[in-house]
């Protein structure tokens, strides 16, 4: 189980959190099929600049990024929004603090 604070804070993405997102994805690799590639801070910045999300919300456990949830426009239905494919939480959290995968 991940050790952390009792409370999570939901924050909108900014570039200062890119390294934490990279760390979260790297720690989550086994949960996504065991990919061996390593995500870098610069890759996260580029991806987030170009992914088309309206916004990106992150669950923060202190300074650690513990969860990821993007919000995008659903182009097939005018006025609708959706959560794209990437919804994640750190492995080991097990939904203890309200994060479910």
């Amino acid at each position: 189980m991940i050790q952390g604070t009792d409370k999570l804070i939901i924050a909108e993405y900014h570039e200062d959190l890119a390294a934490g997102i990279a760390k979260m994805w790297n720690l989550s690799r086994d949960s996504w099929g065991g990919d061996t590639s390593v995500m870098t801070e610069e890759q996260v910045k580029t991806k987030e600049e170009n992914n088309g999300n309206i916004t990106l919300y992150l669950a923060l456990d202190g300074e650690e990024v513990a969860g990821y949830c993007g919000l995008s426009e659903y182009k097939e239905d005018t006025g609708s929004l959706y959560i794209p494919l990437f919804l994640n939480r750190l492995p080991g959290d097990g939904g203890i603090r309200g994060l479910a995968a």
Side-chain angles (χ1 to χ4, degrees):
M1 180 184 314
I2 295 168
Q3 298 298 315
T5 62
D6 290 338
K7 295 185 181 181
L8 294 172
I9 295 171
I10 304 300
E12 282 193 80
Y13 169 78
H14 54 83
E15 283 193 344
D16 292 345
L17 297 170
I21 294 171
K23 178 181 176 185
M24 180 199 63
W25 286 126
N26 292 331
L27 291 172
S28 301
R29 285 187 304 214
D30 287 343
S31 299
W32 289 93
D35 187 4
T36 59
S37 63
V38 175
M39 177 77 67
T40 67
E41 178 179 359
E42 287 306 314
Q43 287 172 318
V44 169
K45 287 178 182 179
T46 299
K47 178 180 168 283
E48 297 308 331
E49 286 174 11
N50 298 308
N51 69 9
N53 279 343
I54 294 169
T55 192
L56 169 61
Y57 293 107
L58 302 167
L60 301 177
D61 182 2
E63 298 291 316
E64 184 171 46
V65 176
Y68 177 104
C69 180
L71 185 62
S72 294
E73 178 182 7
Y74 185 60
K75 294 184 170 57
E76 302 297 319
D77 188 6
T78 304
S80 296
L81 302 174
Y82 79 108
I83 297 171
L85 173 65
F86 294 115
L87 179 64
N88 195 54
R89 65 163 167 76
L90 278 172
D93 183 67
I96 298 288
R97 294 168 293 159
L99 292 178

